[in-house]
Amino acid sequence: MKKNNGIGLIALCSLFATMLIIPTLIVVPFTNSGNTEKVEETPPTEQVAEVEDSAFSVSVWRSETEKVEEVPLETYVSRVVASEMPVNFEMEALKAQALAARTYITRHLVEGEKVSSEADVTDTVSHQVYKDDKELRTLWQDSYADNMEKINQAVKATAGEIITYEREPIEASFFSTSNGFTENAGDYWEHDIPYLKSVESPWDQGSPKFSDQKIITVAQLEQTLGVSVGAGIQQSTMTKTEGNRVDEVHLGSQTFSGREIREKFELPSSDFSIQQKGEHVIFTTKGYGHGVGMSQYGANGMAKTGKDYKEIIHHYYQDIEISPLSTQTASLNGEKPVN
């Protein structure tokens, strides 16, 4: 009897010890920007990039909640890639997007740009689209674990890498779909950028956004532009950029840039033609987005032909280097380091 009691006491002690140990396995603290938080147990496939892999954190202004979210860099990059590029794209295209996203935010922070005293960037197209973990779970539902695992694989494969030109992080602009060419930065924005030059991008024709039409009335066109064209739209003239988008269009007695027309009528692209049928005007467009930098559908097309992410990056950004992020972190001492 005494022997049995001893065994029972040992078993009871073992059970008590197990009860103490198990909670520490389920919830562990980590430090992020000096705050202690709890990480809920999740399968490895659902985890976003590890905090310790992040050189710094990013303060994101959440437009719906109007609150600032502190996000470790690599977690931020993962969620931007998940929000900006279709998850069914090729792995090498996702890697290229991860590299562009990390470069974009690094340059933004190095230049000291902020949207407020507390936030570095917004979660909108004004910077980079960002959805948090809850939003991605809602979006993907049962596919969340598999999708996040794929995104994380792409991000981790490029961890610690950014795109540089003359040792500085580049303006890593990207867009959805080209018209067959990318655009010179100076033909769409106000100044030339040496690494953002027009290049061929024939892979985009498979994009569902490659072509589109928008129809408005002649009256709408005249009111929006402040011109009188009557039946003279067919006689309008336009000049083109190197990227085959509209440089200038002459309507009535006035001249407008292709970008102006695109923005005023919310066209998908500045590659458009104009046709009048009766009292209506038809804009026929090619491509989707401003056209400067990396085409996402072009990147996916390149990946399908066997090109890796470095080849994709070197195609869309001219004369650049892929460099370690550590060369830039000294400029971010004023930011919020991740311990």
Side-chain angles (χ1 to χ4, degrees):
M1 290 293 292
K2 288 182 179 180
K3 185 176 181 179
N4 292 338
N5 287 342
I7 294 174
L9 181 60
I10 292 171
L12 183 61
C13 291
S14 298
L15 178 61
F16 181 70
T18 301
M19 291 173 64
L20 290 177
I21 293 171
I22 287 177
T24 66
L25 298 177
I26 296 176
V27 180
V28 293
F30 74 101
T31 302
N32 180 9
S33 303
N35 297 322
T36 300
E37 303 181 13
K38 292 182 178 179
V39 180
E40 295 181 357
E41 182 185 35
T42 53
T45 56
E46 297 188 20
Q47 290 179 348
V48 183
E50 297 293 336
V51 175
E52 54 265 29
D53 293 336
S54 298
F56 49 84
S57 64
V58 182
S59 301
V60 185
W61 174 257
R62 304 311 314 278
S63 51
E64 287 193 11
T65 62
E66 296 188 346
K67 294 181 179 179
V68 176
E69 182 177 345
E70 291 285 340
V71 193
L73 171 64
E74 298 301 332
T75 303
Y76 173 78
V77 172
S78 290
R79 293 173 182 174
V80 167
V81 174
S83 305
E84 288 276 14
M85 179 173 273
V87 70
N88 63 349
F89 271 23
E90 297 291 316
M91 178 59 69
E92 295 304 312
L94 292 168
K95 290 178 185 178
Q97 183 68 61
L99 189 52
R102 187 182 299 105
T103 302
Y104 177 93
I105 190 60
T106 301
R107 178 184 175 92
H108 184 83
L109 296 180
V110 165
E111 293 186 339
E113 298 179 8
K114 297 176 73 72
V115 296
S116 72
S117 59
E118 297 180 345
D120 299 316
V121 289
T122 67
D123 58 6
T124 70
V125 292
S126 296
H127 297 99
Q128 299 187 110
V129 178
Y130 169 92
K131 292 182 174 67
D132 64 19
D133 188 68
K134 181 179 179 180
E135 291 169 312
L136 292 174
R137 287 176 184 272
T138 300
L139 176 66
W140 287 332
Q141 299 185 16
D142 292 342
S143 299
Y144 171 85
D146 289 339
N147 289 351
M148 207 67 241
E149 181 179 20
K150 184 178 180 181
I151 295 292
N152 286 340
Q153 183 180 343
V155 173
K156 290 178 181 179
T158 67
E161 293 179 345
I162 59 172
I163 312 165
T164 61
Y165 180 83
E166 295 183 348
R167 300 183 180 181
E168 298 294 332
I170 71 166
E171 184 72 52
S173 61
F174 55 87
F175 62 99
S176 171
T177 303
S178 84
N179 63 346
F181 297 87
T182 65
E183 187 77 305
N184 290 324
D187 289 333
Y188 193 79
W189 296 330
E190 295 181 354
H191 55 281
D192 287 315
I193 299 176
Y195 48 82
L196 294 178
K197 296 295 186 182
S198 178
V199 297
E200 292 186 9
S201 187
W203 310 276
D204 300 68
Q205 293 188 30
S207 167
K209 299 180 179 181
F210 183 72
S211 62
D212 200 1
Q213 282 191 338
K214 182 168 186 175
I215 301 175
I216 62 172
T217 66
V218 172
Q220 285 176 301
L221 181 138
E222 292 181 326
Q223 181 178 6
T224 301
L225 298 181
V227 298
S228 177
V229 295
I233 292 179
Q234 298 294 78
Q235 283 72 50
S236 64
T237 59
M238 61 176 64
T239 57
K240 295 293 189 75
T241 66
E242 185 179 350
N244 206 34
R245 292 166 179 78
V246 175
D247 181 25
E248 291 183 338
V249 57
H250 307 281
L251 288 169
S253 61
Q254 298 190 42
T255 300
F256 303 90
S257 71
R259 179 177 178 176
E260 283 182 287
I261 297 295
R262 180 199 173 205
E263 292 177 350
K264 286 181 181 294
F265 296 104
E266 298 181 344
L267 303 178
S269 167
S270 56
D271 179 354
F272 58 83
S273 61
I274 308 175
Q275 183 182 8
Q276 182 176 352
K277 285 192 174 182
E279 293 301 313
H280 291 87
V281 176
I282 303 171
F283 289 101
T284 301
T285 59
K286 285 185 179 180
Y288 193 99
H290 51 63
V292 181
M294 183 181 73
S295 164
Q296 293 174 314
Y297 273 89
N300 196 47
M302 288 187 71
K304 287 181 177 180
T305 68
K307 302 297 185 183
D308 65 26
Y309 77 97
K310 293 184 178 181
E311 292 174 297
I312 294 170
I313 291 298
H314 280 283
H315 177 73
Y316 286 108
Y317 306 107
Q318 300 294 293
D319 301 319
I320 54 82
E321 294 181 350
I322 297 175
S323 306
L325 175 62
S326 58
T327 60
Q328 299 296 325
T329 53
S331 302
L332 298 171
N333 289 336
E335 297 301 323
K336 301 153 285 301
V338 175
N339 298 324

